Amino acid sequence: MFEALHPYENRLITYSDYLEFALESNCSKPNDAKGARCPVCTRLMKVRSGHKKGDGHFCHKDDKFCPTKAPAGRPYIGLPPSDIDPIATKLNQEFAQNNLSKIWNRLQSIVPFIDFKEFIDILAEAKRLRVYSYANLEPKLLPYVYVTLINFLPNKSFQKKRKLKFCFFYESEVQTYGDLWINQGSFSRLTRISYNNGKTQRVTLIDTNTAYLEREQDSLSQKQLEWCIKIM
């Protein structure tokens, strides 16, 4: 991948940034410095120079499993909640239905060229996985659960404008969606990984804020809203 977490700070750095860090650390070889970290599994990474200028990148130091290598291996997908509260489920579904337009607008801002049909697919998956039934679910954070439910493929994008495949990940400690809310007030780090031909191209940290609820933006049409609610 072309970006990784700083060795000590919670921010992404590039290959060039890491070379500068190694120099400032008085290391004669870049990989002698403290390694950058994978934004998903948080294990140490090493740098590798590319075949041409600007092609340097990060790679894992070991061959252990990391979700970025196999998106289908995200453990929180496919595991429905064990304890279901019917009242909480109803309230969470109602929140989603009452804020569909705002949730849709937030997804548009973090998923390049998202198509409305992809949104429908997300809502169908949320129903299948019973996402609204998770204990302690904070419904305001639903957009950041929704994006992990499907892979965003170029041929499914709006007017097929998306050039890369996108997948969203939480750090590897998250084993079920319920884990996202175990530590109240501290939502797990969400990362968007961009792929090209199976290779990681770019890493983006997603700000999981709730300011989207305060913005007045264009709404979905009545027909689109009815379609969404029918799927939910």
Side-chain angles (χ1 to χ4, degrees):
M1 62 182 66
F2 293 108
E3 294 166 296
L5 287 175
H6 187 280
Y8 302 112
E9 303 171 18
N10 190 33
R11 63 182 178 88
L12 293 172
I13 58 172
T14 64
Y15 174 76
S16 297
D17 293 332
Y18 183 78
L19 295 184
E20 184 176 340
F21 167 80
L23 185 63
E24 292 176 350
S25 299
N26 295 317
C27 295
S28 58
K29 298 178 182 178
N31 284 317
D32 289 342
K34 175 74 173 179
R37 298 167 292 145
C38 173
V40 176
C41 72
T42 68
R43 295 202 308 277
L44 295 180
M45 308 192 82
K46 60 184 179 181
V47 289
R48 194 176 279 169
S49 58
H51 297 294
K52 49 189 178 181
K53 186 177 180 181
D55 232 7
H57 59 279
F58 298 92
C59 57
H60 290 80
K61 285 189 172 184
D62 55 52
D63 294 325
K64 294 180 181 178
F65 172 76
C66 174
T68 60
K69 300 177 183 179
R74 285 171 285 186
Y76 38 84
I77 292 182
L79 292 176
S82 54
D83 298 321
I84 295 176
D85 181 344
I87 296 177
T89 300
K90 185 174 184 295
L91 290 174
N92 291 331
Q93 287 176 322
E94 288 178 350
F95 175 89
Q97 291 174 355
N98 292 336
N99 292 281
L100 278 168
S101 289
K102 293 182 177 181
I103 291 172
W104 163 245
N105 287 328
R106 181 57 180 150
L107 294 189
Q108 286 183 304
S109 69
I110 60 178
V111 184
F113 302 111
I114 185 172
D115 189 76
F116 179 72
K117 182 58 170 62
E118 290 180 302
F119 188 38
I120 291 296
D121 291 341
I122 287 170
L123 296 177
E125 274 296 280
K127 180 179 180 180
R128 185 181 73 84
L129 294 175
R130 305 173 85 171
V131 164
Y132 308 106
S133 298
Y134 274 96
N136 302 318
L137 168 64
E138 173 51 69
K140 293 179 181 180
L141 298 173
L142 272 171
Y144 313 114
V145 175
Y146 280 167
V147 292
T148 66
L149 298 179
I150 67 171
N151 296 330
F152 296 93
L153 310 177
N155 65 346
K156 299 290 185 180
S157 63
F158 178 69
Q159 297 181 353
K160 294 184 169 54
K161 289 185 176 182
R162 189 184 302 135
K163 303 303 180 184
L164 300 174
K165 173 183 176 181
F166 295 119
C167 297
F168 289 78
F169 297 91
Y170 290 105
E171 57 262 47
S172 57
E173 287 82 0
V174 175
Q175 295 296 302
T176 74
Y177 284 115
D179 293 341
L180 298 175
W181 299 280
I182 286 177
N183 297 316
Q184 291 299 311
S186 179
F187 196 63
S188 302
R189 183 177 61 246
L190 179 62
T191 308
R192 186 182 74 210
I193 310 290
S194 306
Y195 298 91
N196 185 26
N197 296 323
K199 295 182 179 180
T200 302
Q201 297 296 305
R202 184 174 175 79
V203 179
T204 305
L205 296 182
I206 303 300
D207 183 359
T208 54
N209 67 71
T210 59
Y212 72 94
L213 290 167
E214 302 169 6
R215 301 188 184 114
E216 294 296 332
Q217 296 172 302
D218 293 335
S219 299
L220 294 169
S221 69
Q222 186 61 37
K223 185 176 181 180
Q224 287 174 319
L225 288 170
E226 290 172 359
W227 189 4
C228 290
I229 292 173
K230 181 180 179 180
I231 293 297
M232 298 173 71

